[in-house]
Amino acid sequence: MLRALVQAAYVLFFALVGFEFHAFYAQIVSGGAVTAHRPPAVEGFLPIGALMSLKYWILTGDYDRIHPAGLAILVAALVSAFLARKVLCSWVCPIGGISRALEWAAKKTLWRRRKEEVLLPAWADRALTSLKYLLLAFFLYAVALKMDTAAILAFRQGAYNHAADAKMLLFFTGMSAATAATLAVLVLLSFAVKNFWCRYLCPYGALLGLVSWMSPQRVVRDGAACIDCRACTRACPVEIRVHGKSSVRTPECTGCMSCVGACPVEGCLTVGRRGKAGWSPYLLPLVGLGTIFLVWGIARLTGHWHSQVPLDRLTDAYREARELVHP
Ligand code: SF4
Ligand code: SF4
């Protein structure tokens, strides 16, 4: 319940970010007075650019001043994934929140007569899961291996990068029939299979999963206390067979704690390393969310949150982007 409330709050927050950014974009391209503000959080939806900025920052020490919030959000996501698994996916990401709402709607309508949860066969789950890792491998190859610092700098200073947020907005506001059909298919698939996008297609989640794999924190099952009721597996949003594992190490675990909350045997599911004292399950989302807020606070206080691009440069880039989409 708490997770649903936090997710709903974030969906609302990102909807407000979208409205605010739309107002800013509309004012800036119309040429009138600009009273709206550009919300830096919009850069959270530019993860490929943030990946390039991260590589450039590591290699040169130069922090991205064009989309600084995007880089701060990526750093926060990576650190929180290591400390507390994929809390960003299960508590913060609006796509995760929408996926969860679709799962709930499907249970209340299509599958309301279903007595038992039907899980995808393990082979199908594995095959589909590989898709997001293939997408991640492609992006890592293109950014981490193929682009050197000169290429990243050229991209960073170009009009395309300056208007990347506007292009994303236009992608949704000027949606083509093909894009609308693709989104409709994804919604239908999310009705049929829990969290379809997050589990099988999101490369950002795949990256966080690989980092979370190295995390010392994981769900641990006490086999001696377990009564094999399988409530944990039924509650898991990514269909991990928790009831059959002694510890959940897989990068697919989002750290949502639904399994721990559903287990009727106190102390049977805990968080930590097998045989070692672990954290309270409530601490995991607290640490994950706390890390995200901490990085945001540091970025704001040190001037690494707001973009330094002058308004006239942004105006030219946004107008260019609009011309491309609506000539
Ligand atoms: S194993 Fe537990 S913590 Fe991990 S995703 Fe499934 S329900 Fe959430
Ligand atoms: S919910 Fe708890 S008791 Fe039931 S199968 Fe899972 S770990 Fe065992």
Side-chain angles (χ1 to χ4, degrees):
M1 184 61 183
L2 178 64
R3 188 163 76 91
L5 287 175
V6 174
Q7 280 184 307
Y10 270 110
V11 170
L12 189 65
F13 168 73
F14 283 111
L16 292 174
V17 165
F19 280 124
E20 198 182 353
F21 181 63
H22 185 270
F24 175 76
Y25 167 82
Q27 288 180 356
I28 214 173
V29 294
S30 71
V34 180
T35 52
H37 294 283
R38 178 184 173 278
V42 79
E43 294 170 15
F45 296 94
L46 308 173
I48 312 293
L51 201 56
M52 289 184 209
S53 297
L54 181 62
K55 178 176 176 182
Y56 195 82
W57 187 33
I58 291 169
L59 293 179
T60 67
D62 181 24
Y63 195 91
D64 186 354
R65 299 283 170 177
I66 294 168
H67 296 310
L71 178 51
I73 292 167
L74 179 61
V75 170
L78 293 173
V79 177
S80 73
F82 176 71
L83 293 177
R85 307 202 71 94
K86 297 196 285 181
V87 162
L88 185 108
C89 299
S90 55
W91 291 74
V92 178
C93 177
I95 312 293
I98 292 167
S99 286
R100 191 155 183 230
L102 291 173
E103 178 194 338
W104 177 84
K107 269 190 187 149
K108 293 287 170 197
T109 53
L110 280 185
W111 316 125
R112 70 181 188 282
R113 292 184 204 286
R114 213 188 237 174
K115 294 223 166 29
E116 265 298 311
E117 190 88 16
V118 178
L119 304 183
L120 269 188
W123 64 266
D125 184 55
R126 267 199 298 276
L128 286 168
T129 300
S130 65
L131 293 176
K132 70 179 177 209
Y133 290 104
L134 287 175
L135 283 171
L136 175 66
F138 169 75
F139 289 125
L140 287 180
Y141 171 74
V143 174
L145 290 180
K146 287 294 273 184
M147 288 185 89
D148 59 15
T149 51
I152 293 175
L153 190 62
F155 173 83
R156 187 197 277 186
Q157 290 171 340
Y160 185 96
N161 183 43
H162 284 80
D165 45 8
K167 287 202 183 86
M168 190 187 47
L169 178 74
L170 291 166
F171 175 81
F172 287 104
T173 55
M175 199 180 289
S176 66
T179 307
T182 307
L183 289 180
V185 168
L186 284 173
V187 168
L188 290 176
L189 285 170
S190 300
F191 259 69
V193 181
K194 281 191 214 177
N195 289 299
F196 190 88
W197 168 265
C198 308
R199 286 166 67 189
Y200 303 132
L201 295 174
C202 178
Y204 202 154
L207 176 65
L208 298 185
L210 292 179
V211 175
S212 76
W213 209 4
M214 296 179 267
S215 173
Q217 303 306 329
R218 67 197 62 142
V219 172
V220 177
R221 187 177 65 96
D222 179 351
C226 178
I227 57 171
D228 200 31
C229 67
R230 304 188 178 196
C232 47
T233 297
R234 284 194 295 277
C236 180
V238 288
E239 297 187 3
I240 295 168
R241 275 80 169 162
V242 185
H243 68 273
K245 295 184 182 291
S246 53
S247 88
V248 182
R249 267 204 78 191
T250 165
E252 301 314 306
C253 173
T254 63
C256 67
M257 298 294 108
S258 298
C259 54
V260 180
C263 180
V265 182
E266 205 182 327
C268 180
L269 289 180
T270 48
V271 173
R273 274 177 294 175
R274 209 148 23 114
K276 304 238 162 108
W279 290 359
S280 153
Y282 302 104
L283 207 54
L284 203 79
L286 262 183
V287 169
L289 293 173
T291 305
I292 291 166
F293 275 104
L294 183 69
V295 174
W296 167 75
I298 293 171
R300 278 208 70 144
L301 289 174
T302 57
H304 294 84
W305 184 249
H306 289 96
S307 176
Q308 307 291 314
V309 180
L311 206 56
D312 55 344
R313 178 79 188 88
L314 215 48
T315 306
D316 290 346
Y318 282 9
R319 285 185 180 155
E320 229 174 85
R322 187 187 56 174
E323 284 305 310
L324 279 175
V325 179
H326 303 297

